[in-house]
Amino acid sequence: MSKKRILLVDDEEDILILLETVLIKEGFKNIHKATNGVTAIKVGKSIEPDIIVLDIMLPDMDGYEVCKQLREFTYSPIIFLSAKSDDIDKLLGLSVGGDDYVTKPFSPKEVAYRIKAQFRRVDQIKQNKTSEVKLIKFGDIEIDEIKAEVTKNNQLINLTAKEYQLLLFLVKHPKQILSKELILDRVWGKGYEGHLNALMVHIHHLRQKIENEPSMPEYLLTQRGLGYKFVPGGKS
């Protein structure tokens, strides 16, 4: 974290000092500051920041315009700071290339946590790209991630979008016992924690399509009272 380059942009010196102090306490050391849009763009080109915290109300140009110009040479996350809390302002910030939005007055620690969350997201994306597997094989099953297709003995299996997403999630976490709640959260999203029946039905359908003997599954195993587990080599 200490090597991450952070650019703070705000025309209020007190806010810059406060944010810098908190970020240093959180382990960040490479912090740069700007009090106007022109300087922010110039510094951005010079240091190539890993993340930018950008106030919308600046003396020479608004943060939206600064963001547009920053996006011409950087894809680093941009967190907007604004005294405006209207949804339209948040949507505008996201539409011009922002990644997050914090409303003033704010807790400096909240901004620090938002920064850390963005770094985790970026690091995860980089990890996925470097370790990305386009073809996944187990038994007589092959998953082609590029085509989003699954075949068995070279014959295409007709999976629904949700069945495919569920299978891919399980396959990418081999030999791990995954709780039903976790699977629902990752595959269906927030708010589906109680839809256990939907998960059970989808597991049943997947077994019907990929297992040689669905009633005695080799790959998609039930861990009673715990959840499910994918075993790539088949049940031993």
Side-chain angles (χ1 to χ4, degrees), residues 141-194:
I141 304 295
E142 181 173 290
I143 302 174
D144 187 328
E145 289 191 73
I146 297 177
K147 297 179 180 179
E149 292 180 349
V150 180
T151 58
K152 181 175 182 180
N153 289 322
N154 298 317
Q155 297 297 312
L156 185 65
I157 301 175
N158 185 23
L159 297 182
T160 66
K162 194 60 67 179
E163 288 170 354
Y164 176 79
Q165 293 167 11
L166 174 58
L167 177 62
L168 200 59
F169 178 72
L170 293 170
V171 166
K172 290 196 171 183
H173 296 81
K175 300 182 180 180
Q176 298 180 38
I177 298 176
L178 304 171
S179 71
K180 295 176 182 178
E181 291 76 15
L182 174 64
I183 297 172
L184 284 168
D185 178 67
R186 297 296 179 82
V187 179
W188 272 262
K190 298 291 184 183
Y192 285 86
E193 292 84 355

Side-chain angles (χ1 to χ4, degrees), residues 26-185:
E26 292 293 327
F28 297 102
K29 297 179 180 179
N30 200 344
I31 301 171
H32 303 260
K33 296 174 288 183
T35 57
N36 58 67
V38 171
T39 303
I41 295 166
K42 182 178 179 180
V43 174
K45 288 181 179 179
S46 173
I47 69 167
E48 298 181 356
D50 295 295
I51 197 165
I52 302 160
V53 179
L54 175 61
D55 186 27
I56 290 178
M57 301 298 291
L58 295 172
D60 51 350
M61 65 179 82
D62 64 44
Y64 301 131
E65 178 60 31
V66 177
C67 181
K68 289 179 184 177
Q69 295 193 37
L70 288 170
R71 280 288 173 251
E72 292 178 3
F73 59 85
T74 180
Y75 291 102
S76 296
I78 295 176
I79 300 175
F80 276 113
L81 300 179
S82 177
K84 300 179 180 180
S85 59
D86 293 341
D87 287 341
I88 188 65
D89 294 304
K90 295 179 181 179
L91 290 173
L92 180 57
L94 298 176
S95 69
V96 297
D99 298 276
D100 202 354
Y101 195 105
V102 179
T103 304
K104 295 180 178 180
F106 56 81
S107 163
K109 279 203 169 184
E110 178 189 357
V111 177
Y113 294 151
R114 298 283 188 106
I115 288 173
K116 289 182 178 180
Q118 289 294 330
F119 281 146
R120 285 195 297 270
R121 183 182 67 83
V122 171
D123 289 343
Q124 185 62 52
I125 292 172
K126 289 180 179 177
Q127 181 180 346
N128 288 343
K129 285 183 177 179
T130 56
S131 62
E132 191 173 6
V133 178
K134 298 301 183 183
L135 286 177
I136 303 173
K137 299 180 181 181
F138 59 95
D140 52 7
I141 304 295
E142 181 173 290
I143 302 174
D144 187 328
E145 289 191 73
I146 297 177
K147 297 179 180 179
E149 292 180 349
V150 180
T151 58
K152 181 175 182 180
N153 289 322
N154 298 317
Q155 297 297 312
L156 185 65
I157 301 175
N158 185 23
L159 297 182
T160 66
K162 194 60 67 179
E163 288 170 354
Y164 176 79
Q165 293 167 11
L166 174 58
L167 177 62
L168 200 59
F169 178 72
L170 293 170
V171 166
K172 290 196 171 183
H173 296 81
K175 300 182 180 180
Q176 298 180 38
I177 298 176
L178 304 171
S179 71
K180 295 176 182 178
E181 291 76 15
L182 174 64
I183 297 172
L184 284 168
D185 178 67

